Amino acid sequence: MTLTREALTDVAAIAAAAPHTQVRLATVHGAAVVIGEHPDGSMCVDGFRRLMAAWVEGCEPQVDSVAFVGATYEAGVLTCGDSRLFATRLSAQDTAACLRERSGWPDEAHAVVREDLLLDVSVVQVTSDALDADALDAAVRDAQAACVVEELCREVSAA
């Protein structure tokens, strides 16, 4: 099953927010496209962002999997050491407001929101020096879910 344009846009935004990342896209034809600083790289991360921003509507991506080298990318969340990143369609201001409204957000977790104006998404990076990996994962999943609910509510109210 190929990835959607939206999913690849999220990958491009997350790759730009995670310094020194290298992304490998596997195509449906069995080829691998390397994005990032690497001798076998096909394009830089910024080039990938520009490609996704200029994507022609109606043209379907031919990518069936994404892998970040040295990190785990699963269900839209990049786990890179003690850092977790995910993308949302909300603006940075709306994302920050959504996260502030979370009851039960652990005081030990810190979220930084970066808006990618080119891709029209925001990337949330969550870190903690005090939480273990499971607690950090739970906080990130809660934040991601809250953003998805807010996105859906806005879509419904706009329709």
Side-chain angles (χ1 to χ4, degrees):
M1 184 168 147
T2 60
L3 275 72
T4 64
R5 176 182 177 229
E6 184 176 274
L8 284 178
T9 298
D10 290 353
V11 168
I14 291 169
H20 311 295
T21 57
Q22 184 186 114
V23 184
R24 291 183 184 268
L25 307 176
T27 71
V28 296
H29 308 292
V33 178
V34 178
I35 299 166
E37 303 213 7
H38 187 274
D40 296 328
S42 299
M43 69 179 78
C44 65
V45 172
D46 193 51
F48 183 40
R49 286 179 59 246
R50 289 192 309 268
L51 174 69
M52 294 312 303
W55 197 270
V56 176
E57 197 64 39
C59 185
E60 293 301 316
Q62 298 295 305
V63 175
D64 62 5
S65 69
V66 173
F68 281 78
V69 177
T72 304
Y73 185 68
E74 186 174 273
V77 175
L78 177 66
T79 301
C80 190
D82 293 335
S83 182
R84 311 289 189 271
L85 296 99
F86 69 90
T88 176
R89 298 287 169 287
L90 301 173
S91 70
Q93 182 177 357
D94 291 340
T95 301
C98 181
L99 295 178
R100 276 194 292 273
E101 293 173 7
R102 301 305 308 143
S103 61
W105 179 263
D107 290 335
E108 301 87 356
H110 308 284
V112 175
V113 181
R114 294 179 180 93
E115 193 162 8
D116 189 322
L117 296 175
L118 179 65
L119 297 175
D120 199 26
V121 299
S122 295
V123 176
V124 179
Q125 180 177 19
V126 181
T127 60
S128 176
D129 292 334
L131 295 176
D132 65 18
D134 290 338
L136 185 58
D137 289 340
V140 169
R141 293 288 178 213
D142 180 69
Q144 183 186 37
C147 289
V148 168
V149 168
E150 184 64 24
E151 288 174 31
L152 292 173
C153 288
R154 289 170 186 253
E155 285 180 24
V156 168
S157 67

